[in-house]
Amino acid sequence: MKIKEVSEKYSIPADTLRYWERVGAIPRVNRDEAGYRDYDKES
């Protein structure tokens, strides 16, 4: 799932998800070959 899908599903702005990842509030998310965040069920 891409960041936009997660953002819409949980009503959290994508910028907030990026910030939380940057400051360590949530674990780093795996990235696909193009460098996009690729959230799985565990993420």
Side-chain angles (χ1 to χ4, degrees):
M1 209 178 342
K2 302 298 179 212
I3 196 166
K4 181 179 180 188
E5 296 167 308
V6 174
S7 173
E8 290 173 352
K9 182 175 181 175
Y10 295 105
S11 299
I12 300 170
D15 286 339
T16 299
L17 291 168
R18 289 183 192 100
Y19 173 76
W20 287 348
E21 184 180 342
R22 188 171 53 250
V23 299
I26 60 174
R28 291 238 179 241
V29 177
N30 291 329
R31 302 212 178 213
D32 65 12
E33 298 81 27
Y36 293 105
R37 287 171 178 82
D38 191 18
Y39 292 84
D40 57 15
K41 288 182 181 185
E42 293 179 25
S43 300

